Structures are given as C-alpha cells and as structure tokens.
Amino acid sequence: MAPVDYDAELWRHHEVLVRATRVRPADRVLDIGCGTGQTTRQAARTATAGEALGVDVSAAAIARARELARAEGLGNVTFEQGDAQVHRLPPAHFDLAMSRFGTMFFADPVAAFATVGRALRPGGRLVMMVWQAREHNEWDVVIRRSLGAAAPAGPDPFSLADPATVTAILRAAGFDGVAFTDVREPVHYGPDVATALAWIRGFTCTSEVLRRLEPAAAAQTVERLRRALAEHRRDDGVWFDARAWIVTARRGREGTPAAGATVRW
C-alpha cells in the first residue's frame, strides 16, 4: 500500500499554482507555509538566477524540506522555521510571495499580510491558493458527515473563502489590485480505499474525534469513513471534488497598512 502525503493529495492544485505564479528566472520568491517545500523547490528550479525562501511553523516539515533540497542539489533555496505573521524577513527584498493553502490560519491576518507586504518590493506580487467555502468542498463535507456531530471545530481552513473579506484584509495590509480566479480541481486521497482511510485517520479532526469515542463508536465511525471513501473510488484512486481560489494582489507603492484599518467578519 503506497502512502499518500500532502503533496500527492494536492498535485492537481500544485500544477495550477505553478502556472499562476509565473516565476521568472531572476525572481526572489517567498513561499509562505511551505510545508516540506515542494512549491519552494519548484520556484527555485525556475528562478535559476534568483532565489527562493520557504517559511513554515513546523520544524519537522522544514527539516524534511532541507533534506529534499540537498538531495536535488538546489543551491538557491533556503528554509526557515517561523510564523510568517511575525517572522523577520528582509524588507523590500522579494519579487513574489506565494502560498499553497498556507495563509488561512493567521491569528491576525492583516498583521500577517502586512509583514509579507513589507518583505515585497514595491509592486511585488502576492499569489496564493486558498479554499473556497466549506459547502463547495466535497472532501470536507463528506468527512465531517462521516465523523458525525462530534467533529471538533478546530482551526478554520475556510477563513479566506469570502472574496469581500479577503479583499478588505489585503487592502488593509497595504495591497492593491486584488483579484480571484476560480479553481475547480479534485483532491487525491490515494490509489485505494485503505490508503485513503489511513491518510484521513491522520487528520487532526479525525484523530481527535476517534480518540474521544468509546471503542465501539469509534469502529462505527471508521466504517462510515470507509464506506464514504469507497463511494469515491475511481479506477485511478480515491478523489473528492474541491473548489479553491487563486488570489492575486500587488504590494502598494507605500507598502504599509492603511491607517486605522479595521476588518470585520
């Protein structure tokens, strides 16, 4: 049974993001919430005369990203552990800030994007992929239905789903030219039901629910998940419909948050 990981789950989204970022040979690229660095390394391979920096809060992910970059012989890519909301970044240094589902969990999104904006040169680009609303993402709907009413709230991966909210956040953080592109690509949970079930059982929301349940109830919940996954099995694996946004913006010439800006949601 071949394992699945986050990069394998999102490989169709990865291809969309690569096309949207349009990395140029001399670009300096910042990758926000880079995970194990697939998107950062891709940017570095294209920016042959530039560089790429990946930042993520997970020490384990950063360690793995460094291992993979060394194995690929990439000399123009670096990785740093940190929260992009407060991480010290060189001012006006980057041409492009990018992210693949790495910007939805900021405690203070205006402050976080202002930090990113200050690291961009004036007119520098932001290109990020975020999930659309929960009801448009079959993977979340089906998993939560299978877990039942006990499913925990937890961090919200859909916090940047609303274009009006995101536009207000980015403008308050000093960006302009905010635009949205609809992305309709499925997520891949593995080549078979057993692999997909093992992957989903590793999700925080799933493991927390199963941990709280009595053994018999936990077994019933796992069986509901297995049946739901079987219904989404195709010849080439287990797939769920998904909807995302590609959000693009540019750092304003001033590059600072609007004075007294307040964002409500």
Side-chain angles (χ1 to χ4, degrees):
M1 182 175 65
V4 66
D5 59 19
Y6 196 56
D7 292 336
E9 174 186 337
L10 297 173
W11 69 268
R12 298 277 288 267
H13 294 83
H14 174 73
E15 293 179 347
V16 173
L17 184 63
V18 168
R19 292 193 296 269
T21 52
R22 305 190 315 277
V23 176
R24 299 167 299 188
D27 275 347
R28 295 173 174 176
V29 181
L30 170 64
D31 190 2
I32 308 158
C34 66
T36 57
Q38 182 191 40
T39 47
T40 326
R41 298 193 311 275
Q42 176 66 50
R45 284 191 292 270
T46 304
T48 52
E51 63 186 45
L53 167 65
V55 177
D56 198 278
V57 296
S58 169
I62 290 297
R64 180 59 176 157
R66 288 170 176 161
E67 290 177 2
L68 293 169
R70 284 194 297 269
E72 295 178 17
L74 293 171
N76 64 335
V77 62
T78 55
F79 295 96
E80 297 178 4
Q81 181 190 1
D83 180 350
Q85 180 169 315
V86 295
H87 194 66
R88 296 188 66 175
L89 296 166
H93 180 78
F94 297 99
D95 302 288
L96 167 67
M98 60 182 286
S99 181
R100 187 188 68 187
F101 303 117
T103 57
M104 296 95 68
F105 305 114
F106 292 131
D108 185 338
V110 173
F113 285 112
T115 298
V116 172
R118 286 190 292 270
L120 286 170
R121 63 172 177 78
R125 297 182 296 135
L126 170 68
V127 180
M128 64 179 179
M129 183 174 280
V130 301
W131 295 117
Q132 292 190 29
R134 170 174 282 115
E135 59 268 23
H136 298 314
N137 281 281
E138 184 184 43
W139 55 273
D140 186 82
V141 172
V142 171
I143 291 173
R144 285 182 173 268
R145 183 185 303 130
S146 299
L147 293 178
D156 184 10
F158 307 101
S159 67
L160 299 180
D162 177 56
T165 298
V166 175
T167 299
I169 289 171
L170 292 178
R171 286 178 176 169
F175 286 89
D176 55 31
V178 183
F180 297 79
T181 301
D182 185 19
V183 177
R184 303 187 183 191
E185 293 288 354
V187 293
H188 182 231
Y189 279 178
D192 51 51
V193 171
T195 303
L197 182 59
W199 176 239
I200 290 175
R201 290 190 67 166
F203 291 1
T204 300
C205 63
T206 309
S207 60
E208 287 184 358
V209 167
L210 296 177
R211 179 176 53 82
R212 293 202 308 260
L213 294 175
E214 295 295 328
Q220 292 174 351
T221 300
V222 170
E223 177 59 21
R224 284 198 300 271
L225 279 169
R226 189 199 65 77
R227 290 197 300 266
L229 294 169
E231 292 173 358
H232 289 80
R233 169 74 189 274
R234 305 190 321 207
D235 290 342
D236 57 347
V238 179
W239 296 84
F240 284 89
D241 289 340
R243 296 280 292 277
W245 295 116
I246 287 282
V247 185
T248 56
R250 289 188 178 272
R251 176 191 169 178
R253 291 296 162 179
E254 295 299 323
T256 55
T262 300
V263 178
R264 304 182 187 279
W265 64 87

